Amino acid sequence: MPARWVQALLEVQATDLRIRDLETRMSLLPGELTKLKEKRDKVAAGTAAAADAARKIERAIKANESEIARLTEESKKLQQQSAMVKKNTEYQAMLNTIALNKNKIGDLEGKVLELMDQFEAAKVNCRKVKTANDATIQTIRGEFEELVAFAGEVKEEIKKLRESRPGMIRFVDNDTLGRYNALLGGKNGGTPLVKVENGICGSCHLRVSPQVMNDISKGAVTYCANCQHLLYDDEAQPE
Ligand SMILES: [Zn+2]
């Protein structure tokens, strides 16, 4: 059985490593939530684009129809005026314009029919896209809510772990705790207190000296000379 300080510190360490993992997980959440929002916006933009496409065709139909109305009105006026014109050339010019308008109106009517078909297809597409995208947005919203709920659970667990920590810590002296905390907060993010197995440091995997092994077996607070990590031995029998 390892020394009392080892048992206590192992408990503290298990708590701290769990907190560190949870905090790492938490740090990823804002990015994940942002990604979901972006995904939702993109899908919503797709729905809006389909609606826009339909509206654009509708506007084109209206523009063509008003041009038909204008040309019809113009021809009607020319028709009335032509009855009162005396000069033959003027009369011919009016008839020419009326004939030209008739052609233009014919073309425009053909175009309107084409656009009507396109408009119907666009409306069908718009409904289809909206149905599919609304379902996708619903799914995204569900994922978002799940993540928010998960964040709440993680926060709660971190809080509970923090509260449980001080009780375990009283068997570890301040110097050892200071070293331990420095290692825990270190850049490499490793495990501060590691097991020695077959004389090998559990952190850097180098062999520890016989002197260090001797200290460990006595239950003294011992560090690896190479990586500075705290060491313990499951087999040690401190007196
Ligand atoms: Zn080491």
Side-chain angles (χ1 to χ4, degrees):
M1 190 121 131
R4 188 73 195 96
W5 72 268
V6 171
Q7 291 174 46
L9 198 53
L10 280 174
E11 265 185 65
V12 171
Q13 178 166 271
T15 304
D16 287 343
L17 293 183
R18 175 76 184 147
I19 289 173
R20 195 167 68 186
D21 283 351
L22 291 173
E23 281 176 341
T24 303
R25 183 69 195 86
M26 282 296 278
S27 71
L28 299 174
L29 280 172
E32 288 170 14
L33 291 174
T34 303
K35 258 194 197 145
L36 280 178
K37 277 187 201 158
E38 284 167 0
K39 209 167 133 190
R40 179 204 59 195
D41 289 349
K42 213 175 148 192
V43 172
T47 310
D52 271 351
R55 269 197 294 274
K56 205 176 155 195
I57 297 169
E58 200 180 19
R59 277 198 299 274
I61 291 170
K62 280 189 179 140
N64 282 318
E65 279 174 344
S66 69
E67 180 62 3
I68 289 171
R70 192 189 66 78
L71 291 168
T72 306
E73 186 59 26
E74 188 187 65
S75 291
K76 207 174 123 192
K77 273 184 188 155
L78 286 170
Q79 197 81 52
Q80 286 164 355
Q81 287 167 9
S82 69
M84 292 174 278
V85 166
K86 295 199 175 77
K87 267 171 95 181
N88 195 38
T89 48
E90 222 175 299
Y91 180 71
Q92 273 308 324
M94 280 174 172
L95 289 191
N96 282 347
T97 306
I98 290 169
L100 217 65
N101 281 359
K102 203 181 161 196
N103 276 344
K104 279 188 197 164
I105 288 168
D107 286 350
L108 288 169
E109 279 171 347
K111 221 186 227 172
V112 166
L113 284 180
E114 234 173 74
L115 286 168
M116 292 277 206
D117 283 347
Q118 286 177 22
F119 185 47
E120 282 312 308
K123 277 198 288 189
V124 169
N125 178 61
C126 192
R127 276 193 293 270
K128 217 172 81 188
V129 167
K130 190 177 171 357
T131 306
N133 285 359
D134 283 355
T136 306
I137 285 175
Q138 202 58 38
T139 307
I140 292 171
R141 191 169 294 148
E143 284 171 28
F144 193 91
E145 280 163 10
E146 256 174 49
L147 270 185
V148 170
F150 174 69
E153 285 163 24
V154 170
K155 255 187 209 161
E156 189 57 31
E157 189 179 347
I158 290 175
K159 190 172 157 247
K160 278 186 184 150
L161 287 168
R162 286 231 173 87
E163 284 164 2
S164 71
R165 196 176 177 269
M168 301 183 247
I169 237 159
R170 67 184 189 278
F171 296 104
V172 187
D173 70 85
N174 281 337
D175 275 359
T176 308
L177 207 57
R179 292 268 309 247
Y180 163 84
N181 283 332
L183 286 164
L184 186 74
K187 273 187 198 147
N188 53 15
T191 307
L193 173 59
V194 294
K195 202 196 284 190
V196 170
E197 270 180 297
N198 303 318
I200 304 289
C201 165
S203 178
C204 68
H205 307 293
L206 289 185
R207 184 163 293 281
V208 300
S209 69
Q211 177 59 49
V212 167
M213 282 309 288
N214 194 36
D215 290 345
I216 294 170
S217 70
K218 283 182 193 154
V221 177
T222 317
Y223 307 97
C224 171
N226 178 54
C227 71
Q228 314 305 319
H229 278 239
L230 286 152
L231 300 172
Y232 76 96
D233 182 0
D234 262 345
E235 253 86 285
Q237 298 290 335
E239 56 272 16

